[in-house]
DNA sequence: TTGAAAGCGATACCAG
DNA sequence: CTGGTATCGCTTTCAA
């Protein structure tokens, strides 16, 4: 068995209170005794049992992180941010993956609560209305991260409208007039709505441009592939395709590659997100960089602040984005 | 404050022992009392405090997972496997990322220990000799996963020699004779050694083939890019390039793309690993599928078995691999 | 079948 | 500055 505080106390000939004091240096201890205790600790390789400690202090130094799927690079990126910043404040990450199952979101919310996590970050990709009551009950700091939907919880994100507006203007600036936009869904709860509006606004500000909007079935690579076929088939004059998600853009690039259509020479393609593959793929993808790492980092930062009792209003945090200009877009000839 | 077992006991008019019995059904409780207790639990929304429970049972239902970087898709994949199987046995994952820092590996080993994790899985990408003594001290199940080096701990992997041998034979079967192999390093502790041997053996068994071995500086995409330049520059007759890691292969494909060399028409390229991007990239990459998810799954399975006292010898577990034939390789004309 | 009481390993308050 | 002791929330003997 591992040594306990009692073992140390006995061997050092002091009380457990004293041992506790030296390991936490919570109260003054004579340097003589401190030294002896430290020696015994060394000797016994004593390490305080954090579980016991948690029980009395009510601090677990654990943050629960519920994610959809680490297999999505943007999720992994957020978790990196969460973890790295968490560690700076001695917080550890308890990880749960839902694989898109709403039931699981609720289940893990409960589970993490029994494990006494001090805060919870949920990275979701669906809409979940049952969430509300559960999160209220918990009474622990909670941040909701969702790249697709908008729901009424504290969150961290970029200004999707503005980003989309800028990207469209960037393409217009390159001389493109027939810019197709691949949207996923413009309904109420979708962040996509903002993006779509951004595109529309930019287009409407330029007389020689017209809205060309296509809707994809979903937002995976295959969906981009399918829409690309439609666009190319029906709309020969399109010179640029702006996709509301990088995943769609990759699908578009794949379709164009398979059909020997040169990017960017014949057609420019841009995405949204800057997921990992965007800079690796050939051609490299021009896209809007959503700072996933920072989003995670800021999310946990917010939780820790709240834990420390520092003011934390319920407002969303908006992070800056960037237009990453890469090989898939070019000035029109 | 959340309700405790005492609150439940008081409200139900029974002792806490009884409450404990019903929530664990560890001992018979009259159905009448059970019902009442259950009602109160419902009413108070009582959820047992797992921390307190851990303290007495010595079971935290926590497995520590130390990884290099979730940003590497294969790591994320392993963690998925670990977590999904872990959950089946009610285990949760405590995640720590080292970003390649050896010191951090040791540090987190200690940390996880104080957090009373019941087992540890380390996903590493370096050699770490100081590990040995630390892991022995812990006396908890430990599995070591490393895609690059071999170190003397229980691990889960594929037969790298055999995989490399098969892939080389596959290319030979396609009619290729001048097959370049990009190795990272053939030294003692490198798994790479086995791969290199596999390639050599296959080549040696075919009279009209000759070893063409290039060494990359490291094993990232850029390194593959650099080596490709060398190969193309110095070895015009090469018709196939077999890379010891998918990352290198992606670099090679990028170089060929940038220099207008058609894959697979002019040259075939194959990789090793089947990381996520391999099947997305164009052309899709022919490669050896290392079952990362399964490796993680089996690793935690092993730990849980050991925890249950089921026999667990110290031998490595070898998982099957597969040759994924995709678009980057073709029969020679 | 039930309850009382002893711990699990630490912290923290109260005396001295 | 140091020690004794209650306590955190729960499980687990031991008696009844």
């Amino acid at each position: 068995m591992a040594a306990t505080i009692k073992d140390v106390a006995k061997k050092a000939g002091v009380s457990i209170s004293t041992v506790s004091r030296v390991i936490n240096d919570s109260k003054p201890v004579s340097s003589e005794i401190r030294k002896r205790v430290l020696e015994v600790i060394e000797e016994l390789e004593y390490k305080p049992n954090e579980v016991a400690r948690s029980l009395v202090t009510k601090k677990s130094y654990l943050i629960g992180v519920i994610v959809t799927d680490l297999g999505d690079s943007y999720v992994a990126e957020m978790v990196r941010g969460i973890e790295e910043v968490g560690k700076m404040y001695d917080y550890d990450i308890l990880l749960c993956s839902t694989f898109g199952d709403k039931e699981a979101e609720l289940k893990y919310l409960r589970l993490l609560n029994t494990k006494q996590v001090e805060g919870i970050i949920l990275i979701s990709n669906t809409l979940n209305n049952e969430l509300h009551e559960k999160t209220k009950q918990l009474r622990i700091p909670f941040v909701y991260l969702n790249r697709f939907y908008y729901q009424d919880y504290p969150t961290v994100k970029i200004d999707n409208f503005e980003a989309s507006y800028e990207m469209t203007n960037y393409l217009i600036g390159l001389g493109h007039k027939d810019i197709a936009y691949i949207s996923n869904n413009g309904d109420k709860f979708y962040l996509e709505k903002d993006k779509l509006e951004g595109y529309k606004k930019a287009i409407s500000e330029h007389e020689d441009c017209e809205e060309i909007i296509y809707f994809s079935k979903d937002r995976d690579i295959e969906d981009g592939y399918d829409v690309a076929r439609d666009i190319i088939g029906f709309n020969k004059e399109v010179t640029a395709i702006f996709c509301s998600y990088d995943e769609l853009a990759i699908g578009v690039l794949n379709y164009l590659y398979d059909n020997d259509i040169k990017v960017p020479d014949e057609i420019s393609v841009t995405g949204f997100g800057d997921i990992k593959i965007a800079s690796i793929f050939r051609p490299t993808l021009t896209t809007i960089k959503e700072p996933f790492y920072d989003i995670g980092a800021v999310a946990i930062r917010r939780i820790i602040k709240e834990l420390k009792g520092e003011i934390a209003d319920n407002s969303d945090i908006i992070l800056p984005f960037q237009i990453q200009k890469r090989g898939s877009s070019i000035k029109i000839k």
Side-chain angles (χ1 to χ4, degrees), chain A:
Chain A
M1 265 340 274
T4 73
I5 197 171
K6 272 188 192 162
D7 302 325
V8 175
K10 193 183 299 173
K11 186 142 190 173
V14 297
S15 72
I16 60 171
S17 320
T18 303
V19 177
S20 176
R21 276 165 204 141
V22 354
I23 60 188
N24 296 307
D25 40 28
S26 42
K27 291 211 174 169
V29 172
S30 75
S31 64
E32 212 179 333
I33 292 191
R34 146 168 278 111
K35 186 159 161 275
R36 184 144 40 104
V37 171
L38 254 15
E39 277 169 13
V40 175
I41 286 178
E42 182 84 357
E43 196 179 337
L44 262 38
E45 299 190 47
Y46 166 74
K47 285 166 208 69
N49 179 329
E50 291 295 334
V51 168
R53 197 176 255 179
S54 294
L55 185 58
V56 21
T57 59
K58 305 285 178 214
K59 291 200 62 62
S60 63
Y61 282 103
L62 247 32
I63 302 285
V65 179
I66 304 175
V67 307
T68 50
D69 187 350
L70 283 179
D72 288 332
S73 69
Y74 84 92
V75 173
E77 202 59 23
M78 285 179 176
V79 174
R80 289 179 70 195
I82 293 172
E83 204 218 315
E84 209 160 358
V85 171
K87 284 283 194 296
M88 291 172 43
Y89 295 88
D90 291 326
Y91 276 87
D92 279 301
I93 293 324
L94 211 47
L95 186 77
C96 296
S97 305
T98 63
F99 299 104
D101 178 8
K102 292 184 190 183
E103 290 302 314
E105 289 185 351
L106 267 355
K107 188 176 94 190
Y108 293 143
L109 228 41
R110 268 193 302 276
L111 173 73
L112 290 173
N113 190 232
T114 67
K115 295 251 184 189
Q116 310 300 120
V117 299
E118 297 182 38
I120 292 182
I121 296 177
L122 171 59
I123 302 179
S124 177
N125 61 6
T126 53
L127 222 45
N128 193 341
N129 292 315
E130 300 166 73
L131 223 60
H132 206 262
E133 144 191 49
K134 265 281 159 280
T135 62
K136 292 279 166 190
Q137 281 174 21
L138 299 183
R139 291 161 205 233
I140 56 178
F142 174 74
V143 173
Y144 180 78
L145 266 23
N146 194 325
R147 201 180 154 212
F148 309 104
Y149 297 89
Y150 179 72
Q151 217 163 346
D152 195 23
Y153 302 105
T155 191
V156 183
K157 59 176 183 175
I158 65 167
D159 183 335
N160 289 284
F161 172 81
E162 199 57 31
S164 180
Y165 176 71
E166 268 194 35
M167 177 60 96
T168 310
N169 273 329
Y170 159 73
L171 287 170
I172 293 172
L174 249 30
H176 294 278
K177 294 189 169 50
D178 298 291
I179 303 169
Y181 179 75
I182 304 184
S183 177
N184 177 240
N185 195 318
D187 288 353
K188 201 159 56 155
F189 295 113
Y190 294 71
L191 289 182
E192 179 48 27
K193 190 187 175 203
D194 294 338
K195 299 187 190 177
L196 188 54
E197 294 302 331
Y199 163 79
K200 286 182 177 175
K201 182 179 178 213
I203 293 293
S204 74
E205 290 172 356
H206 294 267
E207 292 207 340
D208 43 357
C209 294
E210 219 169 315
E211 285 181 12
I212 309 174
I213 300 171
Y214 281 79
F215 287 94
S216 64
K217 189 156 163 292
D218 212 324
R219 39 186 136 73
D220 296 319
I221 295 177
E222 305 78 50
D223 303 307
Y225 196 94
D226 294 342
V227 177
R229 183 173 22 234
D230 291 349
I231 298 180
I232 299 305
F234 295 107
N235 228 318
K236 306 286 187 204
E237 64 278 9
V238 162
T239 62
I241 303 178
F242 173 18
C243 308
S244 55
Y245 289 102
D246 279 359
E247 290 83 345
L248 294 173
I250 299 294
V252 170
L253 290 178
N254 280 165
Y255 177 82
L256 299 175
Y257 175 94
D258 291 351
N259 290 276
D260 266 322
I261 299 173
K262 297 278 168 294
V263 176
D265 306 284
E266 298 180 49
I267 199 161
S268 289
V269 177
T270 68
F272 201 118
D274 198 22
I275 59 176
K276 192 177 184 193
I277 197 175
S279 55
I280 299 174
F281 214 80
R282 291 302 153 117
T284 51
L285 183 67
T286 292
T287 189
I288 291 154
K289 183 181 182 63
E290 290 185 70
F292 299 120
Y293 179 95
D294 295 339
I295 288 176
V298 169
I300 192 162
R301 194 68 192 77
R302 187 187 197 290
I303 285 188
I304 291 171
K305 263 193 182 161
E306 199 170 334
L307 251 16
K308 288 190 175 176
E310 295 175 28
I311 21 63
D313 49 2
N314 261 13
S315 62
D316 294 347
I317 298 175
I318 309 294
L319 260 29
F321 61 85
Q322 253 180 287
I323 306 277
Q324 288 284 355
K325 297 168 191 166
R326 299 210 184 91
S328 68
S329 60
I330 203 170
K331 205 167 199 133
I332 205 154
K333 295 179 195 89

